[in-house]
Amino acid sequence: MSVQTEPRASREIGNARKRKEDRRLITGRTRWTDNLVLPGMLHLAMVRSPFAHAKILSVDVEQAKAAPGVVQVITGADVADVQGALPCAWPITADQKAPDHPAIAVDRVAFSGEVVAVVVAASAAQARDAAELVDVDYEQLPAALDLKKARADEALAHPDLGTNTSAVWQFDSAQAGTGGDVDELIAAARVDGVVVEREFRNQRLIPSFMEPRSTVVDPTGEQFVMWSSTQVPHILRLMLATTLGVSESKVRVIAPDVGGGFGGKLQVTPEEVITFLAARRTGRPCKYTETRSESLLAAHHGRDQWQKLTLAADKDGTVRALKVDITADMGAYLGLVTAGTPILGAFMYNSIYTFDAYQFTCTNVFTNKTWTDAYRGAGRPEATFAIERMMDELAVELGREPMELRQQNWIRHEQFPFTSVCGLEYDSGNYEAATARAMELFDYDGLRREQTERRERGDSVQLGIGISTFTEMCGIAPSRMLGELNYGAGGWEHADVRMLATGKVEVVTGSSAHGQGHETAWSQLVADKLGVAFEDVEVLHGDTQIAPKGLDTYGSRSLVVGGQAVVRAADKVIEKAKPIAAHLLEAAADDLEFTDGRFAVRGAGEGGKSVSMGEVALATFAAHDLPEGIEPSLDSAATFDPVNFSFPHGTHLCAVEVDTETGQVSMRRYVCVDDVGTIVNPLIVEGQIHGGLAQGIAQALWEEAVFDDQGTLVSGSFVDYTLPTAADTISFVTDNTVTPATTNDIGAKGVGEAGCIASTPAVVNSVIDAVRHLGVNDIQMPCTPQRVWTAIRTAGRTTADPTTPESTSHFDPDQPNQDPPGPGDHTGVDDQKGTGA
Amino acid sequence: MTRINVKVDGVDHTDEVEPRMLLVHYLREQVGRTGTVVGCDTSNCGACTVHLDGRSVKSCNVLAVQADGHEVTTIEGIADGDRLHAMQQAFHDCHALQCGYCTPGMIMQSIDLLNDNPNPSEDEIRHGLEGNLCRCTGYHNIVKAVQQAAGAGVGGGGGR
Ligand code: FES
Ligand code: FES
């Protein structure tokens, strides 16, 4: 046997490697959960509540049971004793209130879309047909729908709790000893400074991953095997075990190809628990795949806050104090990190600015709507949106140029490491550099000139320029800090690096990719570390039996925590290989150095003897001649727990044109320069930024989950929940500046959420900037043409009109293929007038 | 049940299907062509896009029985053995996919777009892909990929 490694290319870190994982995906050789077919497999269909809040009087399943192919119909009552309660991993206060969260509702439903019964049948179509036959008798209860009214307890989402307030959580810099007293400074500013007070609405969004969630459970082996479209196979396994009282060792969870998540698949879902229960009851493999409508309705939503802010500054523009009061909509239940999601923004409203005092108070409120939880950025987009809007408002108040005002107040590069008013230590950054680069790429001055010209001309199409200079906390998270925040788990990540006899390398990672390109990036890390070829590294993940230890993928944590674990494990491989290499070279281990994949005696020069990592691996495998007392294995594991968060930052600039006659907003230019630390793969980093931008821009302009006054989700399909298309977006200009993070060896800061966090305020600021001279000082998101138009027409008054729930016509009769359905039409769509319900 | 004859990716199939069965379900569940996926239930996302007699269709919007006597090409039928179709290559080269769920439909639609218009402007590309949703990429690199494929002659007969 010989060592057959590929010749090594140049340094990998920083190389724009095309992705390893693409080949299968572009040829359709994919493993989505819904592709799985197992012998004897049964299919599930859910019966969901049409009411936001109702008592379940009876569930009649007789007709459904008699339908063709139906094996079982399961109601909440059938499983009340065994289904446990879905987990909330983050009780933010000791006295937090929360209702039990059953997978199948037993006697009451608390949101429209909640599962009340499950049909198990031989085919998916039979299950769906029979689900129509389940007859549920409800008694409607008053529903808590409007967030502010819910906070005032006008109607109770869960009458037994006696209040809609789940918890109140506060951070105060004076109390924490990290800053001054916010009220004192605001009072002082009212006398001889400026105080800006605003209230913003951060609307409800739906993550809208493209692959609908799907789960298959096979109970026929020694273990229950669950395939699920999840971001968190490890957490899911643990939670299934604790929720259902099954031994953790009897559960294996596999996340095969997963089609996006964005936080939306960071959950332990009722549907996963139900599929598990159905498989256990029937003894046969069961599958559930949701429809898109079900996904929009019942997969968790994100954001949904009212944000009240008070900012105090000196007359010269120096910011002093920031007071933040958030009302956050939990929806009907607390999911895995529902309660903590707004808290993830708690330390970020102060952002990159040097406030003297800061206070953040969050009131978590229940309503009878789909529950909320993490969505790309989770808490930090809300924070960034609010503070960047406030900085613009302060600039207007003072008659200052908004970028210059930011500059005056941000942390200067020579001040790093900088301890923020929240007590977080920002390790590195250079806001000046990123901003300078962004302004140059954007032609900031040129666009400002054009803006002035258009204003002077009274052009009906006005130009607006929006700024967002942001930072975020990533690399979730130091376990100790999570403990202080009362989170139910740690934030470490695990990796194994295994040297095969042929010199190939297997990397096992606890991170669980679903589009991020970990296989490529991890290969690059290991190739550099061990001096092997990129192609010789195989990355294994997403199966709790293959990668038994991990905390999965969310919070821009994979590279900075998971990648660092890989690097540490690879370091250990080198350490273990050293004495063996020394033995092979007949040298002392201390005299060896390891460069470019070879061990050689330090200073031996060109012709000196050396041995490659592959040769050491083979010798270790053979184990014929190893030094005394050395185990025949190079395989190494590492579990990395970060000591601090990482703090990516950047400057985003957006130019929009606003048609003042129609309210139409069109994007003219978008430039962002992000500092995400050391870049392992520029191609992947760029892609992450692009995708994040589109989502953040979509919050600003297009997306909102809208409920009618009955609590029915009106934007419950892709017709009404308007994701951006290629025609809505533009090509972006992206670039990077680099100040390496100091908290991991790679120097990376995390990039998954940056684009999404930063872009929303840049866009909204630009829209308002375009019409500010017409007297507009706020427009509620999404800034639809109607809202923009109304804001212009009612200029001077702050508009806070909700998106109206009436649906508009889905069909344009003049377009092809949109004829009103007539006899013989088989598409089954509703009549084109749109009944709205 | 209705009997249909459909050629899928060059192979003739004769099958009994329920009249209500959608083409996409036929492809996935009966023919085993799971490369084509379902992303919505309102014909908005385009994840299910295939070619029917060489023109793109959303296979969730076509009944299996409507494909009777026709030829269907899916994402699994466009490479020439190990040699990728130029559009697949372009998606790989330009990092035009992340999770890959929209990708089969996006590639099939992009090929159709260039068949119609071998030299589209950026705007024409963007409008040509309007019926296909991607949540990961922000479309930036997808547009670049289509431009690269156009440069390589896809649509001008040089697709392979
Ligand atoms: S599945 Fe066909 S368009 Fe969405
Ligand atoms: S790559 Fe994930 S939806 Fe397009």
Side-chain angles (χ1 to χ4, degrees):
Chain A
M1 191 159 75
S2 68
V3 177
Q4 0 148 324
T5 50
E6 310 278 332
R8 194 163 135 58
S10 56
R11 201 176 131 80
E12 285 294 341
I13 292 184
N15 188 352
R17 274 280 183 190
K18 291 180 215 162
R19 296 197 319 169
K20 284 187 162 184
E21 40 278 83
D22 285 356
R23 183 91 194 181
R24 290 182 315 102
L25 300 170
I26 54 180
T27 53
R29 282 185 294 119
T30 34
R31 283 258 180 135
W32 313 110
T33 301
D34 186 57
N35 293 3
L36 282 176
V37 177
L38 299 176
M41 190 167 81
L42 301 172
H43 298 261
L44 272 53
M46 306 295 166
V47 179
R48 295 179 184 274
S49 166
F51 298 116
H53 195 191
K55 247 193 235 165
I56 300 170
L57 299 179
S58 66
V59 184
D60 181 354
V61 301
E62 288 316 311
Q63 238 191 312
K65 267 187 176 159
V70 172
V71 176
Q72 277 197 13
V73 181
I74 309 170
T75 66
D78 296 335
V79 292
D81 297 338
V82 294
Q83 68 176 342
L86 291 163
C88 158
W90 197 345
I92 56 166
T93 59
D95 60 354
Q96 171 176 289
K97 290 192 166 62
D100 268 354
H101 189 177
I104 308 179
V106 180
D107 45 24
R108 191 173 60 94
V109 288
F111 72 97
S112 157
E114 191 166 357
V115 177
V116 288
V118 182
V119 177
V120 187
S123 79
Q126 286 171 329
R128 252 175 232 165
D129 286 346
E132 302 280 322
L133 304 174
V134 174
D135 191 9
V136 187
D137 201 5
Y138 297 97
E139 179 190 315
Q140 265 188 272
L141 298 168
L145 296 170
D146 178 80
L147 179 52
K148 283 188 172 176
K149 289 180 185 164
R151 183 173 172 169
D153 287 339
E154 279 191 18
L156 293 181
H158 299 283
D160 287 354
L161 296 182
T163 172
N164 289 325
T165 298
S166 172
V168 180
W169 190 96
Q170 188 175 70
F171 172 85
D172 182 275
S173 65
Q175 253 170 39
T178 55
D181 184 305
V182 97
D183 289 323
E184 259 173 38
L185 289 178
I186 290 171
R190 286 195 201 281
V191 179
D192 63 355
V194 284
V195 176
V196 179
E197 290 171 276
R198 289 285 185 279
E199 183 172 34
F200 301 120
R201 176 83 174 117
N202 213 285
Q203 82 271 33
R204 184 179 272 251
L205 300 178
I206 309 183
S208 306
F209 36 77
M210 285 310 297
E211 180 208 14
R213 299 169 308 164
S214 179
T215 302
V216 171
V217 178
D218 182 2
T220 62
E222 190 47 43
Q223 294 162 317
F224 286 93
V225 185
M226 173 182 285
W227 290 262
S228 196
S229 174
T230 180
Q231 292 173 235
V232 290
H234 297 94
I235 294 174
L236 180 54
R237 176 199 195 202
L238 172 65
M239 291 299 174
L240 283 173
T242 53
T243 303
L244 297 173
V246 190
S247 165
E248 194 182 345
S249 58
K250 290 290 182 195
V251 183
R252 172 184 180 188
V253 176
I254 301 172
D257 287 335
V258 175
F262 317 111
K265 290 174 181 170
L266 196 193
Q267 195 55 269
V268 177
T269 69
E271 292 85 352
E272 283 162 336
V273 169
I274 289 168
T275 311
F276 192 100
L277 290 172
R280 191 159 76 178
R281 284 167 72 93
T282 58
R284 289 168 65 178
C286 286
K287 181 199 274 187
Y288 170 70
T289 301
E290 68 186 359
T291 63
R292 174 58 58 184
S293 309
E294 284 181 292
S295 187
L296 292 169
L297 185 64
H300 71 242
H301 294 177
R303 317 273 193 267
D304 207 344
Q305 301 182 351
W306 278 104
Q307 312 173 289
K308 250 191 188 153
L309 290 95
T310 308
L311 188 154
D314 293 343
K315 284 209 173 92
D316 75 352
T318 307
V319 297
R320 290 294 177 200
L322 182 66
K323 185 173 178 170
V324 180
D325 188 353
I326 302 298
T327 307
D329 192 343
M330 304 288 98
Y333 295 106
L334 299 184
L336 205 56
V337 293
T338 302
T341 296
I343 312 304
L344 285 170
F347 308 119
M348 283 287 115
Y349 283 79
N350 52 303
S351 190
I352 64 172
Y353 309 111
T354 57
F355 284 97
D356 297 328
Y358 173 68
Q359 186 190 68
F360 169 94
T361 312
C362 182
T363 306
N364 284 354
V365 173
F366 288 113
T367 59
N368 293 111
K369 292 181 181 174
T370 308
W371 85 79
T372 59
D373 205 304
Y375 167 52
R376 204 171 195 171
R380 291 154 293 159
E382 295 92 316
T384 303
F385 172 75
I387 183 64
E388 287 307 293
R389 284 285 300 108
M390 288 302 275
M391 291 307 283
D392 262 27
E393 294 304 306
L394 177 64
V396 170
E397 199 81 21
L398 295 167
R400 294 275 299 272
E401 210 290 324
M403 185 62 93
E404 190 242 333
L405 180 74
R406 285 171 168 84
Q407 224 145 15
Q408 178 186 345
N409 285 295
W410 72 41
I411 303 155
R412 294 184 312 278
H413 69 274
E414 67 272 12
Q415 289 176 284
F416 288 96
F418 180 88
T419 304
S420 82
V421 71
C422 300
L424 286 182
E425 191 189 284
Y426 295 3
D427 60 335
S428 69
N430 188 332
Y431 309 139
E432 298 93 320
T435 302
R437 179 77 184 128
M439 287 175 77
E440 175 193 331
L441 289 170
F442 189 70
D443 186 17
Y444 189 86
D445 297 332
L447 285 168
R448 280 279 182 224
R449 274 196 302 276
E450 182 185 332
Q451 179 181 42
T452 313
E453 283 161 23
R454 287 197 191 209
R455 286 205 181 160
E456 284 166 359
R457 276 210 308 272
D459 200 332
S460 67
V461 178
Q462 286 291 321
L463 186 69
I465 294 168
I467 301 171
S468 168
T469 49
F470 84 108
T471 189
E472 52 162 332
M473 47 191 255
C474 283
I476 291 173
S479 298
R480 188 180 45 81
M481 288 199 208
L482 291 179
E484 284 165 11
L485 291 171
N486 212 19
Y487 180 64
W492 47 264
E493 193 48 270
H494 183 81
D496 296 273
V497 174
R498 304 199 289 241
M499 291 303 303
L500 305 186
T502 51
K504 311 278 182 192
V505 186
E506 281 177 346
V507 176
V508 179
T509 174
S511 304
S512 188
H514 39 282
Q516 291 86 347
H518 293 167
E519 289 156 42
T520 300
W522 280 208
S523 296
Q524 290 180 272
L525 291 177
V526 170
D528 265 2
K529 208 67 208 173
L530 299 182
V532 297
F534 171 77
E535 294 77 13
D536 284 344
V537 185
E538 195 71 28
V539 178
L540 309 173
H541 65 87
D543 178 340
T544 61
Q545 210 159 70
I546 289 170
K549 217 171 142 75
L551 283 172
D552 309 314
T553 287
Y554 43 85
S556 305
R557 70 190 302 270
S558 292
L559 184 59
V560 293
V561 189
Q564 172 70 0
V566 169
V567 168
R568 289 267 169 100
D571 277 334
K572 290 188 188 174
V573 168
I574 297 168
E575 280 317 300
K576 284 176 90 171
K578 211 174 210 179
I580 299 170
H583 185 72
L584 294 173
L585 292 169
E586 296 172 328
D590 286 348
D591 294 340
L592 293 193
E593 61 184 1
F594 182 68
T595 33
D596 263 347
R598 300 192 78 82
F599 289 97
V601 175
R602 195 172 292 118
E606 273 286 301
K609 272 208 301 179
S610 71
V611 59
S612 74
M613 181 56 91
E615 286 162 336
V616 178
L618 183 59
T620 308
F621 170 76
H624 295 160
D625 179 22
L626 297 183
E628 221 33 60
I630 295 271
E631 65 165 348
S633 170
L634 300 178
D635 300 352
S636 301
T639 307
F640 174 68
D641 197 344
V643 293
N644 193 359
F645 294 96
S646 55
F647 300 93
H649 71 82
T651 297
H652 287 228
L653 299 171
C654 175
V656 293
E657 290 178 354
V658 176
D659 186 328
T660 55
E661 282 163 9
T662 62
Q664 180 67 39
V665 175
S666 31
M667 200 162 283
R668 167 87 174 267
R669 195 173 300 165
Y670 197 100
V671 170
C672 62
V673 176
D674 285 274
D675 182 343
V676 298
T678 304
I679 291 173
V680 174
N681 185 322
L683 204 60
I684 292 177
V685 163
E686 237 193 26
Q688 286 289 320
I689 295 284
H690 293 157
L693 291 180
Q695 289 183 20
I697 293 168
Q699 170 165 25
L701 296 180
W702 303 298
E703 291 180 22
E704 181 173 15
V706 183
F707 291 79
D708 67 11
D709 57 4
Q710 296 295 305
T712 305
L713 180 69
V714 177
S715 54
S717 80
F718 276 164
V719 179
D720 307 278
Y721 192 81
T722 45
L723 300 192
T725 70
D728 297 318
T729 49
I730 59 168
S731 288
F732 309 113
V733 179
T734 61
D735 201 0
N736 297 100
T737 50
V738 177
T739 55
T742 61
T743 47
N744 61 73
D745 295 332
I746 305 163
K749 297 181 178 177
V751 68
E753 295 157 302
C756 191
I757 291 173
S759 56
T760 310
V763 177
V764 174
N765 280 339
S766 69
V767 174
I768 294 168
D769 186 54
V771 293
R772 176 87 70 177
H773 64 294
L774 303 174
V776 176
N777 63 15
D778 195 24
I779 300 173
Q780 203 174 298
M781 296 189 289
C783 301
T784 56
Q786 190 194 354
R787 286 224 177 106
V788 175
W789 185 87
T790 309
I792 296 168
R793 289 298 169 280
T794 59
R797 282 179 280 141
T798 304
T799 54
D801 58 322
T803 301
T804 50
E806 288 83 51
S807 68
T808 42
S809 170
H810 298 164
F811 295 90
D812 180 348
D814 298 332
Q815 292 298 306
N817 299 323
Q818 309 216 345
D819 303 333
D825 186 283
H826 28 59
T827 53
V829 290
D830 279 329
D831 76 288
Q832 64 157 344
K833 285 176 207 83
T835 53
Chain B
M1 289 291 190
T2 310
R3 175 179 294 253
I4 58 171
N5 294 294
V6 188
K7 189 178 234 177
V8 180
D9 294 332
V11 178
D12 286 314
H13 292 265
T14 302
D15 282 299
E16 299 284 335
V17 299
E18 270 193 74
R20 66 171 175 173
M21 184 178 241
L22 300 174
L23 177 59
V24 67
H25 291 138
Y26 171 69
L27 292 172
R28 288 177 55 77
E29 290 158 22
Q30 231 153 315
V31 186
R33 287 302 201 190
T34 50
T36 302
V37 296
V38 178
C40 74
D41 44 12
T42 47
S43 303
N44 285 91
C45 77
C48 62
T49 305
V50 299
H51 291 175
L52 187 65
D53 296 335
R55 293 306 315 264
S56 77
V57 294
K58 291 182 173 177
S59 62
C60 72
N61 211 10
V62 175
L63 295 168
V65 292
Q66 289 176 295
D68 183 25
H70 296 276
E71 190 171 338
V72 175
T73 309
T74 78
I75 188 69
E76 295 169 75
I78 57 170
D80 182 8
D82 269 352
R83 228 172 110 226
L84 296 175
H85 187 283
M87 191 62 78
Q88 291 171 312
Q89 186 64 46
F91 268 62
H92 175 56
D93 290 346
C94 299
H95 185 36
L97 62 148
Q98 290 179 29
C99 79
Y101 199 76
C102 70
T103 310
M106 207 54 99
I107 288 177
M108 298 311 282
Q109 180 59 25
S110 299
I111 294 171
D112 191 59
L113 191 159
L114 292 190
N115 284 342
D116 267 357
N117 179 0
N119 288 304
S121 65
E122 172 169 347
D123 206 47
E124 286 168 335
I125 294 171
R126 288 184 174 277
H127 280 94
L129 297 177
E130 203 173 13
N132 289 64
L133 297 174
C134 173
R135 192 56 157 170
C136 295
T137 64
Y139 304 103
H140 182 111
N141 286 343
I142 291 176
V143 172
K144 267 171 57 180
V146 178
Q147 287 167 336
Q148 172 177 321
V154 175
R160 286 265 158 90

